[in-house]
């Protein structure tokens, strides 16, 4: 999970945030609350003065925001794959990012302590910058798979925690009445209408009481009405924190520090509601009855954790390629590899455009843009559904995907009500199944096209599931039904029956009305169903539109990877290399006289009080003599003397930040153990570094 902390650093955040915490009386019984004993409040928050038996302290809003961030990071220490980004206000986008996703928690917390409330309101610039960085990360991992459909499990849960007091938006040009986000023209954001994505939520923390006379919503100095729409459109939540005690309660609810009974890890609102947001819209054949929209419905989907692993190396094909025989992208991007290998599900939610509408750039193009004629995605796809029930007839052994939708949504309540009515008609009644469409997925832009899934209640009629099936599955089921009938009558296999010309002509007719990006999912599903890939024509998935989509994906992924390597791999290692160079220079400047004075010829002459000093002197002399003849070698932010490394990348070295670099294990037959240190290879010279 990714956490982005956006801290308001405007001058108003330097004002006091008061709270009163009763002192603990010896005769007073311990007061237990839902979130634990009040004495568990963080002691560093309690800067107090004793006044008549009551301890009072006053902290600023910026201090409260920094404390909330630090507590969230501390409470989630058991989640090893969590990544953090710290963003503050700045007039320029470059100055907003205080720590990136590649930085460690220690680096982020160190930057957090240096945050001060000295700026004006630059919330729009900060939001545009952090959205751009998140989009860059997604493009580097190829999480969006533009042009190949959307896979709900191909998501990375992101929580943007915006800590602000909601005061007036005072900028260099005066007081603003609405939140303005500067336009971003980077290549990895042009494929979307909105700057955020369907797996990102905003959690807004307003650092004032709900009834504050100046900062409450609607008051003269309040900007809540301008900030809340940004939170609502992302499906987020709003919290009011008016004291340090309320801040602690918010942290305990957002990221609990103690696991509940029977759970391995604490569960809170940060981990709840994992999934993506989609829109549902009812399709009505009668123009006089407009469709009912249900916006931002949660589709529960477990993340496939593509971002937990390292980025694959960018190959000579710049990330993607095309196999002309199969039409399958053969690249090394993380998202595309997960899609090809079936780690993100069998079938996607179709795109809202036909692949042939994507065209390459012309000779003249608009400055600042790629020049490609693309169809921009909406962050939350709109799924149309018809209340005309269809039959549930998925062939046996044919794969499909199932996602549960939010039971409190309007579409779920309507379907459950229809299922209850159907149940009263008797056991012979067919289950209620509503087909689902995506407007524009077929050749006609304003047409709903063919269904790609169904909405169906579970057996207990307590929840509603979205079953994602092949595009135009109703026609495909009929074709597969004829195939199974031939298998039954001719006593043959599906593989042999599928090669008959009559069946193949009907199947090829179905493929002509199916988007080309279904080539990979259908071939994988047919392989499980027992139909060979040879039934697919070689031209399926190799149309001009699909080739253009592949070229566009190559370009976007390549540019994003290069920018990712430049920003993240260029800046951070350079800083650590400077630190390592300083350590190397310090080692070379040791005074040999003072070090040799601690050395002795007989180890029994060293008393217990001087053991550590003698070992330190021996280590310094050894390293100094080793480094005096040849310079130290840098590898992965570590200083490694050449003769101590066992290979080009592995060594028994300590990183600059204090963590130990893992060693690769040599074959057991070639290992021998020395008295000190780690096992070394027999073929290499053995060195034992004392201490």
């Amino acid at each position: 999970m990714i956490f982005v902390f956006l801290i308001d650093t405007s001058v108003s955040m330097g004002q006091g945030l008061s709270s009163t915490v009763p002192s603990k009386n010896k005769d007073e019984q311990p007061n237990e609350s839902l979130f634990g004993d009040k004495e568990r409040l963080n002691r560093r928050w309690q800067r107090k003065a004793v006044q008549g038996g009551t301890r009072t302290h006053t902290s600023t809003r910026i201090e409260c925001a920094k404390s909330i961030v630090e507590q969230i990071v501390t409470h989630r220490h058991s989640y090893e794959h969590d990544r953090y980004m710290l963003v503050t206000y700045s007039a320029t986008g470059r100055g907003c990012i205080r720590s990136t996703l590649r930085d460690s928690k220690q680096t982020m917390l160190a930057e957090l302590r240096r945050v001060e409330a000295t700026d004006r309101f630059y919330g729009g610039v900060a939001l545009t910058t952090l959205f751009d960085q998140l989009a860059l990360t997604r493009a580097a991992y190829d999480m969006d798979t533009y042009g190949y459909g959307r896979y709900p499990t191909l998501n990375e849960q992101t929580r943007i925690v915006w800590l602000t007091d909601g005061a007036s938006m005072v900028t260099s040009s005066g007081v603003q009445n609405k939140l303005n986000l500067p336009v971003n023209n980077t290549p990895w954001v042009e494929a979307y209408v909105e700057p955020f994505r369907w797996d990102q939520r905003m959690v807004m923390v307003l650092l004032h009481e709900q009834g504050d006379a100046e900062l409450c919503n609607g008051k003269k100095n309040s900007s809540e009405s301008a900030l809340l729409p940004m939170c609502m459109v992302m499906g987020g939540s709003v919290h009011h924190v008016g004291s340090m005690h309320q801040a602690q309660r918010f942290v305990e609810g957002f990221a609990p520090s103690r696991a509940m009974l029977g759970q391995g890890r604490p569960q809170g609102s940060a981990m709840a509601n994992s999934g993506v947001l989609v829109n549902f819209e009812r399709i009505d054949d009668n123009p006089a009855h407009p469709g009912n929209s249900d916006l931002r419905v949660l589709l529960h989907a477990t993340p496939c954790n593509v971002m937990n692993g390292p980025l694959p190396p960018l190959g000579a094909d710049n990330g993607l390629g095309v196999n002309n025989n199969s039409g399958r992208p053969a690249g090394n991007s993380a998202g595309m590899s997960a899609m090809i290998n079936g780690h993100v599900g069998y079938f996607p939610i179709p795109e809202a455009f036909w692949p042939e509408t994507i065209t390459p750039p012309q000779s003249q193009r608009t400055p600042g843009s790629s020049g490609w004629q693309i169809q921009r995605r909406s962050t939350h796809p709109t799924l149309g559904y018809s209340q005309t029930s269809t039959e549930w007839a998925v062939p046996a052994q044919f794969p499909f995907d199932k996602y549960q939708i939010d039971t409190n949504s309007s579409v779920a309540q309507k379907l459950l009500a229809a299922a209850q009515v159907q149940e009263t008609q008797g056991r012979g009644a067919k289950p209620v199944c509503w087909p689902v469409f995506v407007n524009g997925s077929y050749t006609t832009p304003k047409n709903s096209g063919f269904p790609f899934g169904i909405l169906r209640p579970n057996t207990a009629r307590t929840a509603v599931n979205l079953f994602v099936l092949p595009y135009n599955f109703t026609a495909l089921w009929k074709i597969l039904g004829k195939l199974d009938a031939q298998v039954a009558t001719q006593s043959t296999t599906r593989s042999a029956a599928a090669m008959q010309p009559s069946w193949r002509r009907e199947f090829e007719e179905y493929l002509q009305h199916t988007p080309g990006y279904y080539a990979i999912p259908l071939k994988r599903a047919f392989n499980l169903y027992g139909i060979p890939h040879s039934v697919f024509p070689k031209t399926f998935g190799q149309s001009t539109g699909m080739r253009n989509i592949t070229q566009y994906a190559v370009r976007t992924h390549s540019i994003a990877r290069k920018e990712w390597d430049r920003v993240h791999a260029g800046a951070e290692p350079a800083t650590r290399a400077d630190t390592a160079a300083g350590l190397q220079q310090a080692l070379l400047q040791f005074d040999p006289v003072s070090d040799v004075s601690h050395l002795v010829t007989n180890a029994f002459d060293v008393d217990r009080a001087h053991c550590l000093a003698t070992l330190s002197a021996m280590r310094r002399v050894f390293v100094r003599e080793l480094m005096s003849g040849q310079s130290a070698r840098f590898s992965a932010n570590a200083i490694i003397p050449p003769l101590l490394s066992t290979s080009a990348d592995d060594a028994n070295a300590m990183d600059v930040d204090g963590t130990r670099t893992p060693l690769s294990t040599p074959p057991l037959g070639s290992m021998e153990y020395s008295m000190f240190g780690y096992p070394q290879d027999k073929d290499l010279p053995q060195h034992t570094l004392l201490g």
Side-chain angles (χ1 to χ4, degrees):
M1 179 176 282
I2 295 176
F3 288 89
V4 181
F5 299 106
L6 174 56
I7 299 181
D8 184 353
T9 55
S10 56
V11 177
S12 60
M13 289 287 289
Q15 298 182 9
L17 181 70
S18 301
S19 65
T20 302
V21 182
S23 60
K24 190 172 182 64
N25 195 336
K26 295 181 180 180
D27 301 332
E28 182 181 358
Q29 297 296 328
N31 186 9
E32 291 289 340
S33 65
L34 178 64
F35 300 99
D37 190 356
K38 290 183 178 180
E39 193 64 22
R40 292 177 58 244
L41 290 173
N42 200 307
R43 293 301 187 271
R44 75 180 186 287
W45 286 356
Q46 300 181 4
R47 303 186 182 101
K48 9 183 203 311
V50 179
Q51 298 179 356
T54 300
R55 300 184 306 199
T56 62
H57 69 276
T58 301
S59 299
T60 60
R61 296 166 184 167
I62 192 70
E63 292 175 345
C64 180
K66 292 159 67 173
S67 298
I68 290 175
V69 173
E70 187 173 354
Q71 288 298 302
I72 292 175
V73 175
T74 303
H75 286 190
R76 293 187 60 85
H77 67 278
S78 61
Y79 296 90
E80 61 275 5
H81 293 301
D82 281 355
R83 290 188 287 180
Y84 303 93
M85 179 189 297
L86 180 62
V87 185
T88 59
Y89 289 0
S90 177
T92 60
R94 185 180 299 272
C96 293
I97 304 297
R98 304 296 290 266
S99 66
T100 65
L101 296 176
R102 289 284 297 271
D103 293 329
S104 62
K105 290 190 291 186
Q106 291 75 14
T107 302
M108 193 272 291
L109 293 176
E111 289 292 333
L112 177 68
R113 298 184 184 97
R114 289 193 283 268
V115 172
E116 297 180 356
T118 58
D119 301 314
R120 296 180 179 179
F121 181 84
Y122 296 109
V125 177
L127 284 173
T128 299
T129 303
L130 72 89
F131 284 142
D132 180 74
Q133 291 297 311
L134 292 176
L136 174 63
T137 304
R138 296 178 65 88
Y141 281 90
D142 200 10
M143 292 282 293
D144 294 323
T145 61
Y146 176 82
Y148 289 90
R150 308 195 199 198
Y151 292 85
T153 56
L154 189 58
N155 69 81
E156 181 68 25
Q157 292 300 300
T158 304
R159 298 294 180 266
I160 301 173
V161 184
W162 192 357
L163 300 127
T164 178
D165 57 357
S168 300
M169 298 184 292
V170 180
T171 63
S172 58
S173 58
V175 180
Q176 294 182 354
N177 295 325
K178 65 178 182 178
L179 181 64
N180 296 320
L181 273 65
V183 179
N184 186 9
N185 294 323
T186 51
W188 45 85
V189 300
E190 65 179 0
Y192 280 85
V193 178
E194 299 88 352
F196 49 88
R197 298 295 181 265
W198 64 346
D199 54 1
Q200 298 171 0
R201 312 283 187 276
M202 177 172 287
V203 180
M204 182 173 291
V205 181
L206 296 171
L207 301 174
H208 63 77
E209 295 283 356
Q210 290 188 356
D212 192 284
E214 295 183 358
L215 300 179
C216 186
N217 191 6
K219 300 299 181 181
K220 180 178 65 173
N221 297 329
S222 175
S223 62
E224 284 191 33
S225 59
L227 303 181
L228 292 182
M230 189 68 212
C231 181
M232 295 296 102
V233 76
M234 296 182 63
S237 58
V238 181
H239 306 267
H240 286 80
V241 173
S243 64
M244 286 296 187
H245 189 196
Q246 294 179 4
Q248 181 69 14
R249 291 172 64 91
F250 164 75
V251 172
E252 287 288 348
F254 185 75
S257 59
R258 295 181 297 180
M260 301 175 64
L261 185 62
Q263 295 181 352
R265 285 179 173 178
Q267 299 292 325
S269 61
M271 295 298 295
N273 302 331
S274 295
V276 296
L277 297 180
V278 298
N279 300 328
F280 281 96
E281 187 176 41
R282 180 170 59 86
I283 299 176
D284 201 322
D285 296 334
N286 188 354
H289 300 153
N292 297 328
S293 298
D294 200 1
L295 303 179
R296 294 180 291 277
V297 177
L298 180 65
L299 197 66
H300 296 275
T302 304
C304 62
N305 300 323
V306 170
M307 289 189 181
N308 289 349
L311 277 172
L314 190 61
D317 58 351
N318 290 332
L320 287 174
V322 177
N323 188 327
N324 294 326
N325 295 327
S326 64
R328 139 180 171 173
N332 54 357
S333 66
M336 189 62 67
S337 298
M339 185 192 74
I340 294 173
N341 297 327
H343 297 160
V344 295
Y346 292 104
F347 299 103
I349 297 176
E351 301 282 1
F353 55 86
W354 192 252
E356 303 304 319
T357 59
I358 308 300
T359 58
Q362 305 298 326
S363 57
Q364 295 180 356
R365 63 180 183 179
T366 304
S369 64
S370 63
W372 282 78
Q373 299 297 324
I374 63 174
Q375 301 292 330
R376 302 179 69 189
R377 277 178 171 179
S378 177
T379 295
H380 303 144
T382 300
L383 311 183
Y385 65 94
S386 175
Q387 293 185 350
T388 302
S389 183
T390 185
E391 293 185 2
W392 169 261
V394 179
Q397 301 178 355
F398 199 90
F400 57 85
D401 299 310
K402 182 177 72 173
Y403 308 99
Q404 182 179 340
I405 69 173
D406 186 9
T407 310
N408 298 323
S409 61
S410 176
V411 59
Q413 294 297 322
K414 291 178 182 179
L415 186 58
L416 292 176
Q420 292 293 337
V421 174
Q422 193 82 351
E423 185 181 10
T424 59
Q425 298 179 0
R427 295 184 177 180
K430 297 180 180 180
V432 179
C433 300
W434 291 351
V436 185
F437 309 80
V438 170
N439 190 24
S441 59
Y442 193 50
T443 55
T444 53
K446 296 184 179 180
N447 190 281
S448 58
F450 296 102
F452 72 93
I454 60 172
L455 289 172
R456 182 184 178 182
N458 60 356
T459 306
R461 293 178 176 84
T462 57
V464 175
N465 298 318
L466 171 64
F467 291 84
V468 180
L469 305 169
Y471 191 77
N472 195 7
F473 62 88
T474 54
L476 182 61
W477 295 163
K478 295 178 182 179
I479 296 174
L480 294 180
K482 294 180 180 180
L483 179 67
D484 291 339
Q486 293 179 6
V487 171
T489 57
Q490 300 177 5
S491 300
T492 183
T493 62
R494 287 174 179 169
S495 177
M499 302 307 296
Q500 297 182 5
S502 59
W503 187 88
R504 292 191 63 176
R505 283 195 299 268
E506 193 171 358
F507 177 65
E508 291 176 1
E509 177 67 21
Y510 160 78
L511 294 180
Q512 291 179 4
H513 302 279
T514 303
Y517 50 83
Y518 273 88
I520 299 174
L522 284 175
K523 289 180 180 180
R524 186 169 59 246
F526 274 34
N527 185 41
L528 297 175
Y529 195 63
I531 300 178
H533 292 178
S534 57
V535 300
F536 289 86
K538 295 182 179 180
T539 57
F540 183 59
Q542 290 293 310
S543 64
T544 304
M546 288 306 301
R547 290 181 180 273
N548 292 337
I549 288 176
T550 302
Q551 292 177 10
Y552 179 77
V554 167
R555 172 190 172 275
T556 304
H557 177 66
S558 176
I559 295 176
R561 277 299 308 271
K562 292 177 181 178
E563 180 66 15
W564 171 272
D565 294 338
R566 186 190 68 83
V567 173
H568 297 279
E572 183 69 13
T575 303
R576 295 190 177 183
D578 294 340
T579 305
L583 293 176
Q584 178 187 5
Q585 189 65 22
L587 286 173
L588 293 177
Q589 291 178 353
F590 277 132
D591 184 8
V593 177
S594 60
D595 290 333
V596 175
S597 61
H598 289 279
L599 301 182
V600 293
T601 57
N602 188 0
F604 294 96
D605 294 338
V606 182
D607 56 0
R608 172 176 289 185
H610 296 86
C611 282
L612 292 179
T614 304
L615 288 174
S616 299
M618 294 172 64
R619 184 190 301 111
R620 288 194 296 269
V621 171
F622 175 78
V623 174
R624 183 180 180 278
E625 292 181 355
L626 189 65
M627 296 175 63
S628 60
Q630 47 187 319
S631 60
R633 179 172 61 87
F634 296 91
S635 175
N637 306 329
I639 272 191
I640 307 175
L643 296 180
L644 293 182
S645 62
T646 60
S647 67
D649 296 320
D650 301 324
N652 183 19
M654 187 74 70
D655 284 348
V656 175
D657 56 1
T659 60
R660 187 171 296 278
T661 304
L663 291 172
S664 61
T665 304
L668 294 177
S670 63
M671 293 175 60
E672 66 180 19
Y673 293 86
S674 58
M675 184 175 297
F676 299 98
Y678 286 89
Q680 304 288 338
D681 196 285
K682 286 183 177 181
D683 298 333
L684 298 176
Q686 299 296 314
H687 295 274
T688 302
L689 183 62
L690 300 179

